[in-house]
C-alpha cells in the first residue's frame, strides 16, 4: 500500500495502468537494460567531511542520550543518513575554516594522543558501522614541521605518528590518507609519504592526491604516466568540486590505463531545505556519470558550532548547537544522504549500462552488490515535466520485488508500494524535483527520536573554574563550550599546582590552511549585550593575555580576525583596551564561484585592523604572577579592570552585542602560552554564581585516561 504524503511516484508495471496522479502528457519511455554480468567500477562510498574547521566542537559536550542519537542519525546503517564514507581533518592547531583543533604534536618533542575529539568521532563512526570507509588529511599543521615548510619528511612522520595513535590507542585504522588539503602538489612528498607508511606497517593505507580545486587540479595525472615511482605512490586520483569542473576525458582515460580510481574528496552543496537534499543526490550521481568518480564526500556533516561562525548552517545535515539544552535539528539534507547510504555499501559496483542522464532532466545510477541485489538511485532536479523510464532486468540480478523510497519538497524519505517486475521488466513515471531509491535489499527506515529537548539559551551567568574535569584526558583535554578559533586552549594544571586551569598551548604560528590571527577561543551567546567577562591570567615571560567581549564575527572561513573588543595585559605591564574591526584576508582557496561569493559577502571592506580605545602602563606587573582582568559592557561604555581596579574606559558604538572569549598574544612567529582560570561571565555588578559542572547526561568522550 502506498504511503500518503509523498507525490512523485507513478509505478507502471508492464502492460498495466499507472497508479497515483493521472499522467498529464504522454512521455516516450526511456529504456535501460540492467545486466548483472555487465561489470563496472567498484563503488567506494558516499559520505561527509568532519573537519576542515572545528565543525563538531560542540557535539562532544552534548548530554546522553542526545549525543548518541545525533551520531546514530549520521552513521547507523539503515537508520538515518547511513553514510558509508567519512573523511576527517588530521588536527593541526591552525584555523582551517570555522576554527582550529589541537594537534597530537604541538612541538617536535611533544606527543599526546588524548587531545581533542577527532579520535572519538572516528571511534563512534566505526562502532556504528564497521564497514565505513575512513579517510583523512592535514589542513593546518604545527609550525615546527619542516621549519615552516610542510612538504618535508617531518610532515610524513607527523602523519605516521597520528595513524599510530589512532590504531594503537583507539583501535581504528584509516583506509586512505591525503597529502594535504588544497595546497598544491609535491611529488617528492607523496613518494616520501608512501615510503614512510610502508616502513611503519601502513602498507594497506591508500594515498590519494592531490585534493585541489583549481582548473588544473588533475594535471598531475599525466606525470604519473611517465614517473613510475609517482604512479606507485598515488593509489587514487583525487580532487575537489568536480560538479563544477569535471574530470576531463583525458584524465579519465589515464586513470583507467593506470587502474586508479577517481575520488571527489570535497564537494560543496551550499543550499537550504529540500533543494540541498536533491542536490546532494544529483552531485553523487553526476560525479560518477560525468567524471567516473567512485567515492564522493561533501563538506560538511554536523553543524556542531556556534551560529555566528562561518558556514554554521549550510550545508550540514544536522544543527547541533545547544549542548546545554540537548536540543538539535535534523535537516532535509540528511535524507539526501539516506537515499544512497541506506541502499549501498562500499565494495558494490556501478553497473555498466545502468547509469546515465535522463532524457527529460536528471540522472540515475545502478549499483550491484557482490551477490544478486541491486539498487537504483534517481534524481529529477532539473526535469520540467514528468517522464517515464523502463528497466529490463537480467544477467543474474535478483528477480525479486524492489522497495521504493521517495522524497520531494513536501516530504522526505517515504516508502511507497513495492514493485514486482513482470518477466524482468518494470517502468516508473518520474515526477520533477524528486529523489527515488529502488532496491532489492530490505531493512531501510526513516529513523528518528522522540522528545528532543527544546532549545534553551546559553546558561547565564556562567562561571568556569576548570576543576570539574578529572582527569582532563577523559574529556579530550578540552572544557565544555569553548570553541577555539586559532591555537589550542587545553585543560592544564595550574603553575602553582593549586588545581586545574586552561592554557593556550601552541607556542609558534602554525602552517595554517587559512590565515591565522592570534590564538583565541569563544563561548556564550552572540546576542549578549551588557555583561562582564573576567578571568585570572598567568603570564610567562614575553606573554600577553586578554579577555574578549561582544565578539560577533570570527572571520569569513578564510581568515580569522574577529569583530569585537578585548582588554589585554602584557608581562611588561602594558594594558590595552582594543576594538577589532575584522578586516579579512581576501585571498581565496576555494574553487567554486558560489563559495567565493559567500566569502566576499562576509568580508567587510569598510572596517579593518585594531583600534586602540585606551592604553596604560601598570606598575607591579610581571611574568610568573596571577592577575585578574575584567571587561565590562554597559551600552556604549566599555571599561576594563585589572586586579579589581578600574584602569581604562572608553565610549564606542561599533558593536552592541556578541560572545565572550579568551585571547593570547601573538606575532609573526611566536604565540603566547598563558594560563587562564576562574572565567566568569556575569551581569554587571552581580554576585558570582556557583561554579559550573557537568549537566545531567554530560559525560566524558573517552572511557579512561590515556
Amino acid at each position: 500500500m502506498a504511503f500518503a504524503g509523498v507525490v512523485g511516484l507513478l509505478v507502471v508495471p508492464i502492460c498495466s495502468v499507472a497508479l497515483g496522479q493521472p499522467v498529464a502528457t504522454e512521455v516516450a519511455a526511456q529504456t535501460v537494460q540492467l545486466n548483472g554480468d555487465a561489470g563496472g567500477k567498484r563503488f567506494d562510498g558516499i559520505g561527509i567531511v568532519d573537519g576542515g574547521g572545528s565543525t563538531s566542537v560542540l557535539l562532544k559536550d552534548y548530554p546522553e542520550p542526545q549525543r548518541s542519537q545525533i551520531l546514530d542519525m549520521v552513521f547507523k546503517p539503515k537508520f538515518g543518513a547511513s553514510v558509508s564514507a567519512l573523511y576527517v581533518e588530521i588536527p593541526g592547531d591552525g584555523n582551517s575554516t570555522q576554527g582550529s583543533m589541537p594537534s597530537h604534536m604541538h612541538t617536535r618533542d611533544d606527543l599526546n594522543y588524548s587531545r581533542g575529539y577527532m579520535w572519538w568521532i572516528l571511534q563512534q563512526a566505526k562502532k556504528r558501522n564497521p564497514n565505513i570507509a575512513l579517510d583523512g588529511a592535514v589542513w593546518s599543521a604545527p609550525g615546527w614541521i619542516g621549519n615552516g615548510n610542510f612538504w618535508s619528511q617531518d610532515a610524513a612522520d607527523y602523519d605516521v605518528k597520528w595513524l599510530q595513535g589512532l590504531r594503537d590507542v583507539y583501535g581504528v585504522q584509516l583506509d586512505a590518507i591525503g597529502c594535504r588539503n588544497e595546497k598544491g602538489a609535491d611529488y617528492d612528498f607523496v613518494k616520501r609519504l608512501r615510503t614512510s607508511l610502508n616502513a611503519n606497517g601502513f602498507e594497506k593505507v591508500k594515498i590519494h592526491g592531490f585534493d585541489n580545486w583549481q582548473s588544473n587540479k588533475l594535471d598531475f595525472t599525466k606525470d604519473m604516466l611517465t614517473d613510475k615511482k609517482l604512479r606507485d605512490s598515488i593509489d587514487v586520483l583525487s580532487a575537489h568540486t568536480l560538479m563544477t569542473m569535471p574530470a576531463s576525458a583525458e584524465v579519465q582515460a589515464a586513470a583507467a590505463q593506470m587502474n586508479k580510481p577517481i575520488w571527489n574528496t570535497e564537494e560543496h552543496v551550499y543550499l537550504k531545505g529540500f533543494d540541498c537534499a536533491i542536490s546532494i543526490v544529483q552531485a553523487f550521481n553526476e560525479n560518477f556519470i560525468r567524471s567516473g568518480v567512485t567515492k564522493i564526500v561533501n563538506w560538511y556533516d554536523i553543524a556542531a558550532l556556534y551560529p555566528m561562525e562561518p558556514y554554521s548552517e549550510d550545508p550540514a545535515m544536522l544543527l547541533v548547537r545547544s549542548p546545554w539544552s540537548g536540543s538539535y535539528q535534523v535537516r532535509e539534507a540528511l535524507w539526501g544522504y539516506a537515499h544512497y547510504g541506506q541502499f549501498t555499501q562500499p565494495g558494490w559496483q556501478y553497473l555498466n549500462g545502468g547509469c546515465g542522464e535522463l532524457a527529460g532532466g536528471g540522472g540515475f545510477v545502478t549499483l550491484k552488490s557482490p551477490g544478486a541485489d541491486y539498487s537504483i538511485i534517481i534524481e529529477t532536479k532539473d526535469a520540467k515535466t514528468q517522464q517515464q523510464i523502463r528497466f529490463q532486468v537480467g544477467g543474474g540480478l535478483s528477480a525479486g520485488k524492489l522497495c521504493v523510497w521517495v522524497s520531494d519538497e513536501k516530504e522526505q524519505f517515504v516508502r511507497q508500494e513495492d514493485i514486482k517486475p513482470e518477466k524482468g521488466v518494470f517502468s516508473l513515471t518520474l515526477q520533477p524535483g524528486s529523489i527515488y531509491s529502488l532496491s532489492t535489499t530490505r531493512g531501510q527506515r526513516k529513523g528518528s527520536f522522540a522528545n528532543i529537548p527544546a532549545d534553551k539559551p546559553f546558561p547565564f551567568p556562567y562561571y568556569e573554574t576548570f576543576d570539574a574535569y578529572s582527569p582532563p584526558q577523559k574529556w579530550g583535554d578540552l572544557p565544555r563550550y569553548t570553541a577555539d578559533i586559532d591555537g589550542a586552549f587545553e585543560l592544564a594544571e595550574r603553575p602553582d599546582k593549586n588545581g586545574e586551569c586552561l592554557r593556550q598551548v601552541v607556542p609558534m604560528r602554525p602552517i595554517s590552511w587559512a590565515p591565522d590571527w592570534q590564538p583565541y577561543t569563544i563561548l556564550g551567546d552572540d546576542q549578549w549585550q551588557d555583561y562582564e567577562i573576567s578571568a585570572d591570567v598567568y603570564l610567562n615571560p614575553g606573554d600577553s593575555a586578554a579577555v574578549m567581549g561582544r565578539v560577533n564575527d570570527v572571520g569569513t572561513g578564510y581568515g580569522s580576525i574577529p569583530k569585537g573588543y578585548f582588554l589585554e595585559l602584557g608581562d611588561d605591564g602594558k594594558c590595552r583596551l582594543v576594538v577589532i574591526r575584522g578586516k579579512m584576508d581576501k585571498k581565496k582557496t576555494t574553487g567554486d564561484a558560489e563559495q567565493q561569493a559567500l566569502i566576499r559577502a562576509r568580508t567587510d571592506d569598510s572596517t579593518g585592523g585594531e583600534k586602540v580605545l585606551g592604553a596604560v602602563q601598570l606598575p607591579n606587573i610581571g611574568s610568573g604572577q596571577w592577575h585578574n582582568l575584567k571587561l565590562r559592557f554597559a551600552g556604549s561604555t566599555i571599561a576594563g579592570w585589572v586586579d579589581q581596579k578600574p584602569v581604562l574606559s572608553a565610549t564606542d558604538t561599533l558593536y552592541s552585542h556578541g560572545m565572550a572569549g579568551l585571547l593570547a598574544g601573538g606575532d609573526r612567529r611566536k604565540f603566547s602560552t598563558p594560563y587562564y582560570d576562574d572565567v566568569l561571565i556575569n551581569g554587571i555588578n552581580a554576585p558570582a554564581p556557583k561554579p559550573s559542572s557537568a549537566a545531567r547526561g554530560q559525560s566524558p568522550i573517552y572511557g579512561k585516561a590515556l
Side-chain angles (χ1 to χ4, degrees):
M1 182 179 69
F3 286 71
V6 171
V7 176
L9 174 65
L10 291 176
V11 181
V12 189
I14 193 71
C15 300
S16 68
V17 179
L19 304 176
Q21 289 185 334
V23 178
T25 58
E26 292 293 329
V27 179
Q30 180 176 350
T31 299
V32 178
Q33 178 70 50
L34 301 182
N35 183 350
D37 301 324
K41 294 180 179 179
R42 185 186 192 275
F43 172 66
D44 296 316
I46 58 93
I48 36 85
V49 181
D50 191 295
S54 49
T55 51
S56 293
V57 65
L58 295 180
L59 175 60
K60 65 179 173 34
D61 302 325
Y62 261 74
E64 293 293 354
Q66 287 77 33
R67 188 169 68 185
S68 290
Q69 291 173 2
I70 293 162
L71 291 163
D72 283 350
M73 291 301 298
V74 179
F75 298 114
K76 187 176 180 179
K78 293 188 176 181
F79 185 77
S82 306
V83 296
S84 54
L86 171 62
Y87 182 47
V88 303
E89 176 184 357
I90 297 174
D93 290 339
N95 185 284
S96 52
T97 299
Q98 293 100 335
S100 56
M101 294 187 287
S103 166
H104 58 294
M105 297 181 73
H106 296 313
T107 67
R108 187 181 299 275
D109 299 324
D110 172 50
L111 183 61
N112 187 315
Y113 292 138
S114 70
R115 297 181 185 127
Y117 53 85
M118 193 56 75
W119 321 101
W120 171 73
I121 292 283
L122 286 159
Q123 269 191 324
Q124 294 299 313
K126 198 71 172 177
K127 174 183 175 182
R128 285 164 172 77
N129 180 4
N131 296 319
I132 194 169
L134 300 179
D135 193 355
V138 167
W139 267 249
S140 294
W144 62 267
I145 288 179
N147 295 318
N149 173 32
F150 178 82
W151 303 114
S152 63
Q153 184 61 46
D154 281 346
D157 295 341
Y158 181 81
D159 283 346
V160 166
K161 289 292 187 184
W162 188 83
L163 291 170
Q164 287 172 338
L166 182 65
R167 179 192 63 193
D168 299 342
V169 178
Y170 297 97
V172 176
Q173 296 200 57
L174 289 193
D175 299 291
I177 190 169
C179 298
R180 194 182 177 202
N181 180 75
E182 296 183 339
K183 291 297 179 182
D186 189 290
Y187 295 174
D188 288 340
F189 176 77
V190 71
K191 297 171 186 177
R192 188 180 292 120
L193 179 59
R194 180 74 272 164
T195 299
S196 299
L197 292 174
N198 292 351
N200 288 276
F202 296 107
E203 301 92 340
K204 293 183 179 180
V205 176
K206 293 180 172 64
I207 296 178
H208 54 82
F210 278 96
D211 304 307
N212 292 301
W213 53 264
Q214 303 93 328
S215 59
N216 65 347
K217 58 195 172 187
L218 287 165
D219 283 2
F220 65 89
T221 304
K222 62 181 182 295
D223 296 323
M224 292 176 64
L225 294 171
T226 57
D227 186 334
K228 183 179 185 303
K229 191 169 182 181
L230 180 65
R231 185 167 65 249
D232 291 344
S233 297
I234 298 176
D235 301 286
V236 178
L237 312 183
S238 60
H240 293 179
T241 58
L242 287 162
M243 274 287 284
T244 52
M245 290 181 284
S248 67
E250 291 77 14
V251 166
Q252 294 185 56
Q257 179 182 337
M258 295 184 290
N259 195 28
K260 309 280 189 184
I262 302 173
W263 291 355
N264 186 340
T265 48
E266 192 174 312
E267 191 56 83
H268 300 156
V269 184
Y270 297 115
L271 297 169
K272 296 184 181 296
F274 178 68
D275 195 16
C276 190
I278 194 171
S279 297
I280 285 168
V281 177
Q282 180 187 48
F284 290 164
N285 281 1
E286 290 192 2
N287 263 260
F288 176 74
I289 294 167
R290 297 182 180 180
S291 295
V293 167
T294 58
K295 185 170 85 169
I296 174 175
V297 292
N298 290 331
W299 188 81
Y300 65 101
D301 55 351
I302 303 169
L305 62 161
Y306 286 108
M308 65 91 166
E309 296 186 59
Y311 307 106
S312 65
E313 185 165 312
D314 300 325
M317 66 175 82
L318 292 115
L319 300 183
V320 180
R321 48 175 63 155
S322 185
W324 42 86
S325 70
S327 183
Y328 64 90
Q329 178 185 341
V330 177
R331 308 183 79 208
E332 294 91 340
L334 184 142
W335 302 111
Y337 293 97
H339 271 282
Y340 256 84
Q342 293 205 33
F343 301 90
T344 62
Q345 292 185 45
W348 286 32
Q349 68 179 166
Y350 289 96
L351 198 58
N352 287 337
C355 309
E357 306 283 354
L358 291 169
F364 64 96
V365 300
T366 305
L367 289 149
K368 177 184 176 296
S369 77
D373 283 321
Y374 65 99
S375 297
I376 306 168
I377 298 103
I378 306 168
E379 59 79 20
T380 59
K381 179 181 179 181
D382 295 332
K384 304 302 181 185
T385 61
Q386 62 187 25
Q387 56 189 309
Q388 193 174 74
I389 187 166
R390 181 174 182 266
F391 292 97
Q392 296 177 333
V393 183
L397 293 175
S398 171
K401 291 182 178 180
L402 292 92
C403 65
V404 181
W405 292 74
V406 183
S407 294
D408 64 12
E409 191 169 9
K410 294 180 180 179
E411 195 169 359
Q412 289 78 55
F413 211 66
V414 177
R415 187 170 181 179
Q416 303 288 286
E417 186 176 358
D418 287 355
I419 295 175
K420 180 65 172 76
E422 296 183 9
K423 298 181 179 179
V425 178
F426 66 94
S427 297
L428 297 171
T429 299
L430 307 170
Q431 300 298 324
S434 301
I435 311 168
Y436 302 83
S437 291
L438 296 77
S439 183
T440 57
T441 64
R442 292 294 183 270
Q444 296 83 5
R445 56 177 164 158
K446 187 172 185 178
S448 63
F449 295 96
N451 304 316
I452 298 173
D455 192 16
K456 296 178 182 178
F458 188 97
F460 185 92
Y462 190 74
Y463 182 29
E464 177 63 89
T465 65
F466 306 106
D467 290 324
Y469 305 89
S470 182
Q473 294 88 346
K474 293 178 67 173
W475 301 84
D477 290 323
L478 299 174
R480 286 178 291 275
Y481 310 151
T482 56
D484 298 347
I485 307 302
D486 282 333
F489 291 74
E490 297 177 5
L491 297 166
E493 186 178 35
R494 284 173 57 107
D496 57 13
K497 313 298 183 184
N498 188 25
E500 300 295 315
C501 64
L502 194 69
R503 187 184 188 188
Q504 198 295 112
V505 294
V506 178
M508 65 185 302
R509 187 171 293 276
I511 308 169
S512 271
W513 178 86
D516 282 302
W517 180 57
Q518 299 177 68
Y520 72 104
T521 190
I522 58 171
L523 75 164
D525 189 322
D526 64 3
Q527 297 305 306
W528 284 344
Q529 295 182 347
D530 292 351
Y531 62 94
E532 296 177 349
I533 163 73
S534 65
D536 294 337
V537 299
Y538 180 98
L539 305 175
N540 302 295
D543 277 356
S544 65
V547 291
M548 307 175 74
R550 288 187 179 173
V551 179
N552 58 84
D553 191 290
V554 295
T556 64
Y558 190 75
S560 57
I561 302 176
K563 295 181 180 179
Y565 301 89
F566 67 81
L567 177 71
E568 180 184 51
L569 179 66
D571 76 326
D572 57 1
K574 291 181 180 178
C575 184
R576 300 190 304 156
L577 179 59
V578 177
V579 56
I580 325 118
R581 296 184 290 177
K583 186 174 182 179
M584 305 301 166
D585 190 320
K586 293 184 181 180
K587 182 180 178 184
K588 313 297 189 300
T589 62
T590 49
D592 56 287
E594 187 171 12
Q595 188 173 15
Q596 290 189 22
L598 286 167
I599 290 175
R600 286 195 296 272
R602 289 182 56 87
T603 301
D604 185 353
D605 292 322
S606 66
T607 60
E610 299 178 6
K611 179 181 178 181
V612 178
L613 301 177
V616 64
Q617 180 70 46
L618 299 178
N620 304 318
I621 302 291
S623 60
Q625 305 170 354
W626 283 99
H627 296 281
N628 182 267
L629 304 181
K630 181 170 70 175
L631 186 57
R632 174 184 292 174
F633 300 95
S636 61
T637 300
I638 300 133
W641 278 254
V642 175
D643 295 332
Q644 291 74 49
K645 296 179 181 178
V647 293
L648 291 167
S649 182
T651 299
D652 192 86
T653 59
L654 188 57
Y655 307 125
S656 62
H657 58 88
M659 299 173 67
L662 302 171
L663 169 70
D667 57 26
R668 191 177 65 86
R669 288 293 293 165
K670 183 180 181 296
F671 282 168
S672 294
T673 56
Y675 298 82
Y676 307 82
D677 206 354
D678 295 328
V679 175
L680 175 60
I681 307 164
N682 205 0
I684 295 173
N685 290 325
K690 294 181 179 179
S692 66
S693 59
R696 182 178 180 181
Q698 285 181 324
S699 60
I701 55 177
Y702 302 118
K704 60 182 180 179
L706 303 173

